[in-house]
Amino acid sequence: MEEFFLLGIILYFCEIPAIAYELGLSVPIQFFLFFISVIFGLLVNGYLFRVLGTSLEDLSELPDFDNWEELFKDGIKVFIVCFVYSFPAILIILNYTLISDQFFLFLFESIGYNPAIDFTSITVDGMIWCINGLLTTISVFFGGGHAMFGVLYMFIITPLLLIAITNMADYNGEFQEAFRIGEIVNEISMIGWIKMILWYITLLLVSFILLSIGFIIRCILSFINLDILQPLVFVFMMMFIFPFYYLFVAKSLALLYISD
């Protein structure tokens, strides 16, 4: 349980740019806190990567939160893998949005408070959900059909990316193992494409339910004029709900991987 609560605390600190924005702090301070949150986010990446690796051998225990240098390095590896796999979608979005004079205003506003662009709190799969949210938001905001190609790409590539990261964890963090496409596709075939798709759909449903719970609670508090309690909902979600969800993703992904 100690690791669970520590993960929740670090996840909370990943959101300090959003808190700074809500408090109306100056832009330089917000950017400084943003870079601090990046460090926390990479540590989260590294820990969940460790959870994924240890779960391939033992699903019952959480690994210790130690060897911070290793966590940081593994977090960078996960980020790079996610970025490489997501790069085509990023190009699609930039190709479309950079022609809009509203893009930069939207970007700076997003850095302040939009969790869709706050990839600092990514998990093993978290960056994908963040990018999905970002691409969807941009698509709706600009009303552009081109952006939907990016969303579609991310939706299709996500399972491949998750197995790629798991494959890297299975080979003790060997970076190149995340890019052996033939081996990764073969691994998915051994797992079973139907099983993989069902797991993916389940993950999406769990994500939707958890986010809906937070949204409904916030709406209820606003309706009964208890907005003063909104920060407590945020703290509860970051320190209890999201750690549970992220650990669920890592462990269920490991279970799926070894089920072949």
Side-chain angles (χ1 to χ4, degrees):
M1 291 298 291
E2 179 182 343
E3 288 79 12
F4 179 88
F5 288 117
L6 184 55
L7 176 61
I9 292 172
I10 296 177
L11 281 171
Y12 178 79
F13 280 104
C14 286
E15 297 301 319
I16 52 178
I19 299 173
Y21 178 86
E22 293 294 336
L23 293 175
L25 300 182
S26 65
V27 172
I29 293 178
Q30 290 186 45
F31 272 97
F32 172 74
L33 293 177
F34 173 78
F35 287 114
I36 296 298
S37 69
V38 168
I39 296 175
F40 283 115
L42 292 174
L43 290 175
V44 171
N45 272 2
Y47 181 70
L48 289 165
F49 183 74
R50 181 179 293 177
V51 171
L52 181 59
T54 57
S55 296
L56 294 173
E57 300 177 0
D58 182 8
L59 286 167
S60 61
E61 298 292 334
L62 288 177
D64 293 332
F65 244 119
D66 57 10
N67 198 341
W68 296 85
E69 182 180 352
E70 180 183 275
L71 290 181
F72 187 75
K73 290 180 180 178
D74 286 341
I76 292 176
K77 287 181 184 178
V78 172
F79 176 82
I80 293 175
V81 172
C82 289
F83 182 82
V84 171
Y85 275 84
S86 308
F87 191 66
I90 295 173
L91 285 181
I92 293 172
I93 295 303
L94 290 179
N95 180 60
Y96 179 72
T97 57
L98 287 178
I99 65 176
S100 170
D101 58 358
Q102 303 179 73
F103 172 71
F104 293 103
L105 174 61
F106 175 77
L107 178 59
F108 284 118
E109 289 179 347
S110 297
I111 289 176
Y113 65 88
N114 190 344
I117 202 171
D118 183 13
F119 55 78
T120 60
S121 59
I122 57 180
T123 65
V124 169
D125 73 320
M127 183 179 179
I128 302 308
W129 309 124
C130 292
I131 290 180
N132 276 337
L134 174 60
L135 301 188
T136 304
T137 303
I138 292 176
S139 178
V140 173
F141 184 81
F142 293 107
H146 294 83
M148 291 306 298
F149 287 108
V151 176
L152 180 61
Y153 170 83
M154 290 308 307
F155 184 80
I156 294 174
I157 204 67
T158 295
L160 184 67
L161 169 58
L162 297 180
I163 296 300
I165 294 174
T166 310
N167 198 57
M168 182 170 67
D170 193 29
Y171 284 89
N172 298 316
E174 293 293 331
F175 187 66
Q176 65 273 15
E177 297 300 327
F179 301 100
R180 299 189 187 279
I181 304 299
E183 182 178 326
I184 294 167
V185 171
N186 181 63
E187 187 66 39
I188 296 177
S189 298
M190 294 175 64
I191 293 171
W193 286 95
I194 294 179
K195 185 189 295 186
M196 183 75 191
I197 292 172
L198 290 176
W199 175 84
Y200 189 33
I201 293 174
T202 301
L203 202 61
L204 292 174
L205 289 175
V206 172
S207 304
F208 177 77
I209 291 172
L210 292 179
L211 292 176
S212 297
I213 290 174
F215 176 76
I216 292 171
I217 293 175
R218 292 173 69 91
C219 288
I220 292 175
L221 290 177
S222 296
F223 182 75
I224 61 179
N225 295 319
L226 287 177
D227 286 326
I228 193 174
L229 297 179
Q230 295 282 9
L232 295 179
V233 177
F234 176 77
V235 172
F236 176 77
M237 294 291 291
M238 294 308 304
M239 296 191 66
F240 296 98
I241 301 300
F242 281 101
F244 169 79
Y245 168 69
Y246 293 156
L247 291 173
F248 166 76
V249 171
K251 285 186 170 292
S252 65
L253 181 57
L255 182 62
L256 179 73
Y257 186 86
I258 62 179
S259 66
D260 61 356

